[in-house]
Amino acid sequence: MQPTFVVMTDLSRSAEAALTYTTRLAQRLDGRLVLLHVFLDPVLEPEISMVAAPILVASRQEIMTNMVQRASTLPVPADTEVVVDVLSTALANVVQQHHPLLLALGREEPDNVLDRLVGNRALPILQDAHHPLLVVPESWHDTELPQRIVVATDAHPFTLSAPSLELEELFKALQPTTTVVHVTSGSGPSQAEVGLASVQRTGLFGSLSSNSLYEVCEEAPADGILHAASELQAQLIVMLARPHTFLGGLFHRSITAQILRRSPVPVLVLPTNK
C-alpha cells in the first residue's frame, strides 16, 4: 500500500508550511497526500471556529477549488477532502478510510488564542485518531529533511502504539542522528537510562548507545527539552503522548502541549500504550 500522509489545511500560511514539509516526507517514501479541510461547527467548537472565522465565510466549493488547484501543483499524488463535521469525527473517518502514517498541521506564530487552538486541535487527533501528529511552525523554512532529531523521555518506561511503530519505514528512509533527551528539574539519581532503554526497544531510531543520551539538569522539563534541541541543532523534536494525558485539561498542562506551542522546530508526537 502506498504510504499516505494527511495534512489538515485551512488555506493559511501555517497550513502551507505543514503541507510543504509533509510533501517532502511523502516524496522520500514515494507516498501520497490527502489534503483535509474541516468546516468546524461554531456551536460545537466555538473557540476554534472563532479563530477560523475568515475561512468559514468562504463556500465549500471555493475552498475545494483552491485545494484541488494546490494539489495539482504538488510533486506527489494528492487527494482533497472538504467535510462539515466536528473535528474528532472527521479525523476518525479520514483515518479509517486512508490509514495514514501520520497527520500534519501547521502552527501559527505565537498568540494566546492561537496557542490554545494548537492544543484544541492536537487533542482530538491524539485522543480519537490515535495516530502520530506532526506540527510544523509557520516560520519553519528549512528545506532539508530532518537529519538531527531529539526524542524527549521521562523517568517512566513506555511502549509505542501500533500506529506509531508504523513510522519505522519513514525513519529508515531518513536515517537521522538521534539523541535521547532527559530533563531533571532537581537533584537525585539519574533516571535517564530508563528513557534511553525504552527508545532503544522501539526499534525506530537505529542503533543507540549511552553516547546517544543528553541530560539536562535543574531545568523545567519543557525549557530543558527546548534548550537541548537548540544545543544539538535539532531539526525535529519527538514527543510522547501517554494515554493518561488525553484528559482534556491534563493534556493542555502537559509538557507535550507546551512543546507544541513553543518549539521553533517541527514536533512529531507519538502516542504510546502506557
Side-chain angles (χ1 to χ4, degrees):
M1 181 184 296
Q2 192 175 24
T4 299
F5 300 78
V6 171
V7 181
M8 299 175 60
T9 179
D10 58 5
L11 307 179
S12 65
R13 287 192 300 270
S14 61
E16 181 63 26
L19 176 58
T20 300
Y21 189 96
T22 311
T23 298
R24 296 192 187 104
L25 296 179
Q27 282 182 287
R28 181 60 62 91
L29 292 184
D30 293 324
R32 57 185 286 269
L33 297 173
V34 175
L35 279 59
L36 174 66
H37 179 84
V38 182
F39 271 89
L40 300 170
D41 189 319
V43 174
L44 297 177
E45 302 188 82
E47 187 174 61
I48 299 178
S49 298
M50 175 185 68
V51 176
I55 300 300
L56 291 173
V57 299
S59 72
R60 275 186 286 173
Q61 185 58 50
E62 288 174 326
I63 290 176
M64 177 59 83
T65 299
N66 290 335
M67 287 173 59
V68 169
Q69 191 172 44
R70 181 67 182 97
S72 69
T73 67
L74 297 173
V76 297
D79 296 321
T80 58
E81 294 190 15
V82 175
V83 297
V84 181
D85 214 330
V86 295
L87 186 57
S88 57
T89 302
L91 288 169
N93 290 337
V94 79
V95 165
Q96 183 178 23
Q97 180 180 354
H98 297 287
H99 305 287
L101 283 182
L102 58 79
L103 300 105
L105 62 86
R107 192 200 75 203
E108 300 188 41
E109 292 304 317
D111 176 273
N112 287 338
V113 174
L114 294 175
D115 280 353
R116 293 197 299 273
L117 176 61
V118 170
N120 288 348
R121 295 173 76 184
L123 181 58
I125 295 174
L126 296 167
Q127 186 177 43
D128 299 312
H130 301 291
H131 267 61
L133 168 66
L134 174 68
V135 177
V136 181
E138 178 183 329
S139 58
W140 185 254
H141 301 299
D142 194 338
T143 59
E144 183 183 40
L145 287 173
Q147 292 300 300
R148 299 178 301 279
I149 72 174
V150 299
V151 181
T153 64
D154 54 26
H156 305 286
F158 67 87
T159 59
L160 292 179
S161 66
S164 296
L165 291 172
E166 290 294 323
L167 290 176
E168 180 179 7
E169 182 182 0
L170 177 60
F171 281 109
K172 281 184 177 179
L174 294 174
Q175 295 186 329
T177 299
T178 301
T179 304
V180 177
V181 171
H182 178 80
V183 181
T184 56
S185 56
S187 59
S190 173
Q191 300 293 319
E193 292 291 340
V194 175
L196 175 61
S198 289
V199 175
Q200 289 172 321
R201 284 194 295 270
T202 68
L204 288 186
F205 304 100
S207 178
L208 301 175
S209 69
S210 58
N211 292 329
S212 306
L213 188 59
Y214 186 103
E215 290 192 77
V216 180
C217 298
E218 299 184 356
E219 282 198 56
D223 292 338
I225 293 166
L226 294 175
H227 175 209
S230 177
E231 287 283 323
L232 296 165
Q233 298 184 312
Q235 297 163 299
L236 179 70
I237 297 175
V238 177
M239 299 294 298
L240 307 172
R242 300 177 188 274
H244 71 264
T245 65
F246 294 156
L247 302 175
L250 180 59
F251 176 82
H252 289 284
R253 296 192 301 271
S254 72
I255 298 166
T256 296
Q258 292 180 55
I259 297 297
L260 286 175
R261 291 192 294 265
R262 296 171 52 193
S263 175
V265 306
V267 179
L268 176 65
V269 185
L270 301 181
T272 71
N273 291 321
K274 63 177 183 177

